[in-house]
Amino acid sequence: MLPTILDLSSLRAAYQSGLTPLDAIEEVIVRRAASRDAAIFITPVPDEELRAAAKDLMARAPEANSLPLWGVPFAVKDNIDAAGLPTTAACPAYAYRPKADSTVVARLRAAGAIVIGKTNLDQFATGLNGTRSPYGAPRSVFDAAYISGGSSSGSAVTVASGLAVFALGTDTAGSGRVPAAFNNLVGIKPTPGLLPNTGAVPACKSVDCITIFAATVGDGVAIRKVAEGFDAADPFSRRAKPANLPVSGLRIGVLAGAEREFFGDTEVEALYDQAIERAKALGATIVPFDYTPFREAAALLYDGPWVAERLAAVEDFLATNAADFDPTVRGIIEGAKGKTAVEAFDGRYRLEELRRKTEAEWEKADVLLLPTAPTTYTVADMLANPVVLNGRLGRYTNFVNLLDCAAIAVPAGFGKGGLPGGVTVIAPAFTDDALAPLADALHRAASSGMGIDRRAVIPETSRVAPGDDGFVEIAVVGAHLTGMPLNHELTGAGARLVKTCNTSGEYRLFVLPDTVPPKPGLVREPGYKGRGLEVEVWALPADAFGRFVQKIPAPLGIGKVALDDGTSVSGFLCEVHAVKDAEEITALGGWRNYISAKRAS
């Protein structure tokens, strides 16, 4: 029996106890059929195709949890390509059938995750409320009279109602964060460019981010690590340059004075104040800061020339299909027609001026703690005043991508009216991992459960502990892979799986003779132009890393292994003399494929 809200820890434990991906998919099918919100999905994967996907996974990787996301059901916002399903961007006339997965979806499927459907959104990802779709308006899981938040509306409701472990959204102005707040979820908003946008319909191409909705911060971070990595096909993709935050003495910036605007919503304001007190109890120093330059930067996204990027994304389609647009979305996008190149440059100059002003505020604080949204509205109120009320929702979100920040939105509790509120922790680019322990601690301290289940206990196994930056990453290529005979040496030492990926193309793989259990030898050959070999990157506690390395027998050792995203990590390498007469298996792409082929022969 699966819990009301699905999470990685609970699902993996169930799989380890004998549940199969097919069993989990059958439960998803039952839950989906019983859902009372008919607007969640635009294109659900048919039941029989879901069953077939689960069976295919079990044939491809029969051992439980043998892939990082083995049998994990997830949903995809319908402006992100998933092969076999149409991409509509919530505009039926725009729909097309992609020939391939988006880069992120492909990586998640390769890790064992199963797509259950394409979810509803504010059309062309233009909005923060979830009502701008011809497919209907998904509702808050706590009160169907209220908005779910947008534009990633269906994605958030899918996770919050227990239909999927996670869902992909996108975020230009806050669409990966506002729906999380309104549905008691975690929203992972990565540094722009960390997750490639190849295969995603752009809103504002220069600032768009693919995001993750999950039940816990630990889940969201684990999923992000599978999906991230440089992609040369995306001109805005970036190679990660991890940045740290202080482990102790953390300074958290909070709103003060006239910049505290909640539009009369005293319940959300009270939840924000409670979150500040929790941060203080966690040992942080609370520092008031001036939000003015951030707010003025936020205004540029819709009031400045950046709205022209929305027109650039759909200009040709708008010219022939204007009647197919949601009226509000059409009004916003057509408002860009009068923008000039001079205004575009003036907007860029203004943004840089404001960025310089924010530097003074970052000198005061390491992290900003802001309300995710200052209030919420009923669907009826939003439809009656769609532009003004939507604009209020983005007061504390619109600046984040323009100013190149990482952010994690977490639940902050419930008001007396029964609706949830949320807060977001924000820091400069590539602090994604460094933000996670604080975000996780704030979520746990709020005692608000997960999604629709307010009493759910966040699994201890998903905890993101302070000091995780003290872990050491190591790439394994053979007997230490998940499901292999020596994997217990990692898990028993407290290691956690970071991601599955490939080496760069300069490596060859051989079967070492007379080893028990069988082991491969990974050898780097500069100038060799291969496809790369599958490895898993694990994070070991620093003190356990030394003990682990001491046990490695010759001719194996630890050296730097170059990965296909341009980064490098410590990993298993073999002395060249040991593979002189050994069987080469480079063409198979990795040790797991070799073992599978050997079993089949």
Side-chain angles (χ1 to χ4, degrees), residues 436-499:
L438 171 63
D440 182 58
L442 287 172
H443 184 194
R444 292 173 188 274
S447 300
S448 60
M450 301 180 290
I452 198 171
D453 189 352
R454 294 179 57 172
R455 296 185 178 182
V457 177
I458 301 173
E460 187 61 29
T461 49
S462 71
R463 182 180 293 276
V464 185
D468 271 2
D469 54 355
F471 277 55
V472 179
E473 292 189 347
I474 183 170
V476 299
V477 70
H480 286 91
L481 294 169
T482 301
M484 295 295 172
L486 298 182
N487 183 250
H488 66 90
E489 293 185 355
L490 289 169
T491 57
R496 52 183 172 80
L497 180 63
V498 175
K499 63 181 177 180

Side-chain angles (χ1 to χ4, degrees), residues 109 198 204 225 397 427 468-469 474 493 530 551 577 598:
R109 288 213 228 220
T198 309
C204 292
K225 286 179 178 292
T397 59
D468 271 2
D469 54 355
I474 183 170
K551 296 179 181 179
H577 73 85
K598 190 174 181 180

Side-chain angles (χ1 to χ4, degrees), residues 59-60 62 592-601:
R60 173 166 61 98
R592 197 185 303 279
N593 292 341
Y594 166 74
I595 294 295
S596 296
K598 190 174 181 180
R599 286 172 179 168
S601 63

Side-chain angles (χ1 to χ4, degrees), residues 549-571:
V549 170
Q550 286 179 351
K551 296 179 181 179
I552 298 172
L556 300 175
I558 296 294
K560 286 297 182 183
V561 176
L563 303 180
D564 60 355
D565 64 358
T567 62
S568 63
V569 64
S570 297

